[in-house]
Amino acid sequence: MNTKAPARPGRKEQLPERFQSYRHVWVFVEIEEGRVHPVAFELLGEGRKLADALEVELAGVVLGPAGAATDAAVAAAFHHGADTVYLAEHDALASYRNEPYTRALTELVETYQPEIMLLGATTLGRDLAGAVATTLKTGLTADCTELAIDGERSLAATRPTFGGSLLCTIHTRGVRPQMATVRPRVMAMPEPDPERDGRVVRHALDLPEPDFVTKVLDFIADARTDDVNLAYAEVVVAGGMGLQSAENFELVRELAAALGGDYGCSRPVVQKGWLPADRQIGQTGKTIRPKLYIAAGISGAVQHRVGVEGADLIVAINSDPAAKIFEFAHLGVVADALTVLPALTEAVRRRVGVPAPVAAG
Amino acid sequence: MDAVFDHDTDPEDPGRRGLNLVVCIKQVPDSAQIRVHPVTNTIMRQGVPTIINPYDLFALEEAMRLRDQYGGEVTVLSMGPPMAEEALRRALGLGADKAVLITDRRFAGADTLATSYALASALAKLGAERPIDVVFTGKQTIDGDTAQVGPGVARRLGLNQLTYVAAIDLLDRATGEIVVRRRAEGGLQVLSSRLPCLVTVLEGVNEIRRGSIEDMLRAARAEVTVWSAADAGIEDPQQCGLKGSPTLVKRVFAPTPREESAEMVAVDGKRPAQIADAVLDLVFAHAPKLETELGAAPSEKERR
Ligand SMILES: Cc1cc2nc3c(=O)[nH]c(=O)nc-3n(C[C@H](O)[C@H](O)[C@H](O)COP(=O)(O)OP(=O)(O)OC[C@H]3O[C@@H](n4cnc5c(N)ncnc54)[C@H](O)[C@@H]3O)c2cc1C
């Protein structure tokens, strides 16, 4: 840690000589348990815009053992907008571990010198980004909600601050790459183009297993993961404290089922123990982007709002006409959620039928 | 810097005094009580009480559990303004054994890179006195929300990095092995690693104890070690605070309200069934595709 301090330009931003050749936008294509995390595609969609603004290439970075998973990830990266994929395959990268991944990604950055690197703000992405940014002594902005290029080829990364009540725009000065993470579902999923192809740059890594102290003994898959599809559901119904009891969440579940969607809640509902934490929507829970979001008995605090603003259509049911949620909902219903929810379930069943998994009543 | 963590050369502890655990904590404003000035868009800090970052309490509890099980001591370490001593004293009251505050004008304006530099320096100094087995941090802070300082500290000190730890299943001081369950997307990774390591603790995995009366009394009288940058062994003040921070906040602003306000569904004198029909009419008017999609593909569960 006795390396030189990053060069500090004066008021007038002057990038040190050695960083001036850094070019191109990179997206880390996260593979966990053999599958590309969809956040990587969302980032490629966003990275495409940044690369176009800078008139540079968009590249995906794929790390993993040689095999079907990395092959599929390379193809998918091209389909979602990458011009180039940096591919580094090694058995040491089989399951995610911080040490070999940090070493691999750091080496790629130092070799090919991107100006921007984006990662998903997943447990993997955050673990890796923090380590890589520190190794490179560069800036890292977490959980960005907006990315843009300003006049000086600089990344303007906007994120919530102070518990979500304000936003701030952060720049990285005097060092490259500029790193940022973005949470799943914050950016829109780009339309894949199965015809798109690109250039693969294979990079050979030397990662001797004895160098790595940490070993993966096992992976215990969440039993519930398959039911909790919140972040990627097309329709989400959520309830808040206005539902008044754990039992009343049955009304939320039923409407969600009738709409073939998933259900969630506000934070105090989790704190009360009415629903488990993986159902929480908002700044400290999941970000959702459904086509339809129905919020019942939720007041619309800013921390909730930031998690749902990506929804195409927000319907709010709240007994208080002054509730904040009506400030950002598209449709508002001032009524008792406990009576409107079952009526909606009935109406949906009548009009679009009963979806397959729910037994006809 | 790795050498200070080397247990083989630990002259102090041939007979195993137990674990040396350090928990990094941060004093933060209680964000539930933060208000933004409606006109100037500035944070109104006045009168906002400060708390120990709630995520750090899980780290502190986890460290104290290890201490209670294997023996040893828990030191809480914080970088912050002089008043952060309060948070450290609170941690002592909850049962921590020692407290160290690093405070210096030069730390002001630190981003996560500069913060990890200062904390790592202080940890190295503590480690030189007596090798550290595990450094703990919370998952993230509630004011910064970055989750970057833990990994930053681990990197700088060459500690094995174990983030989002839901449980410590095994800690073997003789062999130095540690086995943890780590939260990953879609499941838990069971990892075997080696001391010294840095563990960031997931929220909700334990319940912070209420400090005993003795702890409270001890905390009131206890000495909090206060170090300046120089005391903490910081060799390069250029890497601290604003100067050592590559990230720069250029603008702070309030989220823009949506232009149009919500279209309100008329409810007066209507029965719930009529309200429901009116809502559905409007939903399908706004999103015509939805009606056909719902009819056609009722239980759409796309990729995870
Ligand atoms: C750092 C931080 C992070 C946070 N993260 C999140 C987060 O991720 N997600 C989140 O949701 N919150 C989060 N919060 C909490 C947030 O600030 C609010 O406290 C929370 O969203 C409020 O939940 P609620 O709307 O369910 O409850 P309340 O605010 O209590 O609102 C209940 C609403 O129900 C209405 N109501 C009552 N009865 C009925 C009825 N019969 N029919 C219809 N409506 C009725 C009331 O009018 C009221 O508007 C966070 C807070 C902090 C400080």
Side-chain angles (χ1 to χ4, degrees):
Chain A
M1 61 182 251
N2 295 321
T3 50
K4 277 193 261 87
R8 248 169 324 285
R11 283 293 130 216
K12 186 114 186 39
E13 180 105 2
Q14 229 332 316
L15 198 58
E17 182 91 32
R18 68 193 164 109
F19 293 120
Q20 286 184 5
S21 57
Y22 278 54
R23 277 291 175 276
H24 308 303
V25 177
W26 280 17
V27 169
F28 176 71
V29 180
E30 167 175 343
I31 303 176
E32 199 148 14
E33 297 302 301
R35 283 199 306 191
V36 175
H37 195 293
V39 72
F41 303 137
E42 296 157 17
L43 289 177
L44 284 166
E46 201 59 23
R48 183 74 262 166
K49 294 180 212 162
L50 301 177
D52 290 346
L54 289 165
E55 298 179 348
V56 296
E57 279 193 347
L58 173 66
V61 180
V62 174
L63 304 180
T70 48
D71 291 347
V74 170
F78 290 136
H79 298 167
H80 288 85
D83 303 305
T84 302
V85 168
Y86 292 91
L87 174 63
E89 292 175 320
H90 199 290
D91 287 344
L93 303 170
S95 287
Y96 175 73
R97 289 179 294 169
N98 180 268
E99 291 169 275
Y101 270 74
T102 298
R103 206 194 278 184
L105 190 54
T106 306
E107 182 174 317
L108 285 169
V109 167
E110 285 174 338
T111 309
Y112 302 101
Q113 309 190 335
E115 59 198 298
I116 292 175
M117 181 155 70
L118 309 177
L119 299 93
T122 58
T123 54
L124 189 164
R126 283 177 156 215
D127 184 271
L128 179 60
V132 170
T134 309
T135 311
L136 296 168
K137 304 271 191 299
T138 191
L140 168 60
T141 306
D143 291 0
C144 300
T145 51
E146 215 183 301
L147 299 170
I149 302 296
D150 81 357
E152 305 151 51
R153 283 188 86 81
S154 161
L155 178 70
T158 299
R159 69 183 305 262
T161 181
F162 290 107
S165 21
L166 289 175
L167 296 169
C168 65
T169 301
I170 294 176
H171 290 248
T172 293
R173 49 180 184 169
V175 54
R176 294 292 179 265
Q178 308 160 86
M179 290 179 61
T181 65
V182 178
R183 291 175 28 152
R185 291 308 255 169
V186 167
M187 302 299 180
M189 174 73 74
E191 202 57 54
D193 173 2
E195 303 298 310
R196 254 189 84 92
D197 205 356
R199 180 174 67 112
V200 177
V201 177
R202 287 179 179 275
H203 184 90
L205 291 167
D206 180 29
L207 302 173
E209 190 54 36
D211 283 8
F212 307 119
V213 167
T214 303
K215 312 283 177 198
V216 180
L217 303 182
D218 200 1
F219 186 86
I220 309 165
D222 294 336
R224 313 191 63 257
T225 331
D226 282 343
D227 338 327
V228 185
N229 186 35
L230 252 191
Y232 288 89
E234 298 281 18
V235 175
V236 174
V237 183
M241 292 310 288
L243 290 193
Q244 292 154 23
S245 73
E247 293 71 51
N248 286 337
F249 273 83
E250 195 51 33
L251 305 176
V252 171
R253 272 190 287 267
E254 280 181 359
L255 178 57
L259 288 164
D262 211 336
Y263 67 95
C265 62
S266 62
R267 184 163 87 159
V269 171
V270 171
Q271 287 168 330
K272 282 263 181 192
W274 294 351
L275 285 182
D278 54 6
R279 293 285 172 190
Q280 183 186 320
I281 298 169
Q283 189 191 329
T284 45
K286 297 218 159 71
T287 302
I288 61 171
R289 274 189 103 83
K291 293 191 172 134
L292 172 62
Y293 175 52
I294 300 178
I298 293 180
S299 59
V302 64
Q303 294 89 357
H304 188 79
R305 176 179 174 166
V306 294
V308 305
E309 267 178 327
D312 292 340
L313 185 61
I314 301 174
V315 180
I317 307 166
N318 196 305
S319 50
D320 175 8
K324 271 201 161 334
I325 194 147
F326 294 127
E327 290 173 15
F328 60 92
H330 302 90
L331 292 177
V333 186
V334 179
D336 180 1
L338 300 180
T339 60
V340 172
L341 282 173
L344 270 172
T345 306
E346 269 304 300
V348 170
R349 286 184 183 155
R350 224 179 322 113
R351 286 166 64 157
V352 297
V354 180
V358 180
Chain B
M1 195 172 270
D2 297 13
V4 299
F5 289 95
D6 188 350
H7 288 269
D8 300 336
T9 61
D10 181 358
E12 285 268 53
D13 195 18
R16 300 222 185 103
R17 277 194 295 173
L19 296 169
N20 190 15
L21 308 167
V22 182
V23 187
C24 301
I25 68 171
K26 184 179 183 190
Q27 186 181 49
V28 297
D30 185 349
S31 67
Q33 305 201 33
I34 284 185
R35 294 285 173 273
V36 176
H37 192 282
V39 178
T40 58
N41 273 336
T42 49
I43 299 287
M44 303 195 285
R45 286 170 200 269
Q46 252 136 9
V48 175
T50 59
I51 53 175
I52 297 175
N53 172 42
Y55 292 120
D56 296 346
L57 294 175
F58 300 109
L60 176 59
E61 176 61 28
E62 210 55 34
M64 293 194 296
R65 285 182 185 200
L66 285 185
R67 174 199 63 192
D68 296 348
Q69 193 176 346
Y70 298 97
E73 63 183 18
V74 172
T75 303
V76 279
L77 168 68
S78 189
M79 179 185 96
M83 75 178 227
E85 187 178 326
E86 249 174 68
L88 289 167
R89 216 169 273 287
R90 249 177 271 170
L92 291 171
L94 292 169
D97 303 290
K98 289 183 183 167
V100 178
L101 172 67
I102 56 171
T103 186
D104 201 301
R105 287 239 167 102
R106 282 184 275 211
F107 295 154
D111 72 358
T112 55
L113 192 70
T115 302
S116 69
Y117 174 75
L119 286 174
S121 301
L123 285 162
K125 168 132 186 198
L126 287 170
E129 286 166 17
R130 189 183 160 210
I132 299 171
D133 295 286
V134 187
V135 176
F136 284 93
T137 73
K139 177 181 91 162
Q140 62 194 59
T141 59
I142 60 164
D143 58 346
D145 264 326
T146 68
Q148 284 161 206
V149 171
V153 167
R155 259 296 100 189
R156 288 178 180 278
L157 295 171
L159 302 175
N160 297 309
Q161 173 179 324
L162 303 168
T163 55
Y164 303 102
V165 168
I168 297 173
D169 289 338
L170 174 111
L171 190 152
D172 185 336
R173 251 218 115 185
T175 62
E177 189 187 8
I178 181 167
V179 175
V180 303
R181 268 174 279 168
R182 169 179 185 274
R183 166 60 38 205
E185 303 303 305
L188 292 170
Q189 269 187 326
V190 183
L191 297 176
S192 156
S193 192
R194 199 157 294 280
L195 305 179
C197 61
L198 178 134
V199 169
T200 83
V201 180
L202 204 64
E203 76 274 24
V205 300
N206 56 37
E207 201 169 318
I208 187 77
R209 63 194 64 187
R210 304 176 67 113
S212 64
I213 300 287
E214 295 86 73
D215 285 329
M216 302 283 185
L217 293 173
R218 190 175 51 83
R221 277 170 291 144
E223 177 106 17
V224 170
T225 304
V226 180
W227 284 346
S228 67
D231 297 337
I234 284 174
E235 294 153 2
D236 183 4
Q238 297 293 317
Q239 287 195 55
C240 293
L242 198 59
K243 283 188 176 168
S245 300
T247 61
L248 183 71
V249 177
K250 281 225 173 145
R251 193 161 89 93
V252 179
F253 56 103
T256 40
R258 256 171 44 82
E259 272 132 47
E260 338 85 271
S261 46
E263 179 177 345
M264 302 306 284
V265 178
V267 291
D268 283 349
K270 284 192 179 158
R271 286 180 289 111
Q274 292 170 313
I275 296 176
D277 271 323
V279 171
L280 278 192
D281 285 342
L282 281 167
V283 165
F284 294 141
H286 276 80
K289 283 215 300 230
L290 207 58
E291 186 162 18
T292 44
E293 279 172 15
L294 285 176
S299 79
E300 188 165 338
K301 294 219 159 174
E302 34 152 70
R303 54 195 138 186
R304 73 136 95 197

